[in-house]
Amino acid sequence: MSRRKYFLQVSCFNNTTKLGHLLNKKVYAKYNHTLVTEGEEVQKIVQYIRDEMKDELMKNRRLKEMLVTVNTYDKNYLYILLHPRKSVDYAFNIRGILIKNEFVEDEND
């Protein structure tokens, strides 16, 4: 079994919504230029984004919920994307570049 470690970079797109900008500031401050291992750590980032979005939606009812998706097009890159429903435009993305691929023995073997 292998575990991949990714170096994260957060990018915001200028034409995003107000919610996109608010979330980008928080995610950028917490995760830009960090190192994460695939699996549970990536899911914690997704959950953090969802929790922050929920807080912002509670503060301002006029904001519209956005979708968070995780993609690994190939194993060298990890993408966490935030985008509005019914749109292909992204509010921001978190791009992870593979820096280390650790091979660990499965405990069940």
Side-chain angles (χ1 to χ4, degrees):
M1 176 164 46
S2 68
R3 286 189 292 181
R4 292 172 184 85
K5 291 191 177 190
Y6 295 96
F7 178 74
L8 301 181
Q9 296 174 310
V10 180
S11 304
C12 182
F13 300 102
N14 291 332
N15 61 344
T16 187
T17 63
K18 181 176 181 178
L19 179 60
H21 280 292
L22 292 170
L23 292 175
N24 178 65
K25 288 178 186 176
K26 293 178 180 184
V27 172
Y28 185 89
K30 186 164 183 163
Y31 290 109
N32 193 44
H33 296 160
T34 59
L35 186 65
V36 297
T37 304
E38 72 177 336
E40 190 175 314
E41 287 186 37
V42 172
Q43 292 308 313
K44 285 181 182 179
I45 296 171
V46 171
Q47 191 59 46
Y48 173 78
I49 295 169
R50 288 184 178 142
D51 291 344
E52 291 299 325
M53 181 174 12
K54 190 176 180 180
D55 290 345
E56 292 298 333
L57 291 171
M58 295 286 275
K59 291 177 190 174
N60 187 344
R61 297 283 185 186
R62 291 187 287 168
L63 299 176
K64 294 191 174 29
E65 186 176 8
M66 302 175 93
L67 297 174
V68 182
T69 57
V70 179
N71 295 312
T72 51
Y73 299 111
D74 61 24
K75 298 299 179 186
N76 294 324
Y77 295 98
L78 164 77
Y79 290 96
I80 302 173
L81 307 163
L82 180 74
H83 54 92
R85 294 183 187 274
K86 301 179 185 177
S87 176
V88 294
D89 294 331
Y90 297 112
F92 69 81
N93 73 20
I94 303 172
R95 185 176 93 160
I97 301 169
L98 179 69
I99 61 162
K100 189 172 186 179
N101 195 358
E102 293 179 338
F103 291 96
V104 293
E105 292 185 24
D106 192 4
E107 294 175 3
N108 298 329
D109 288 345

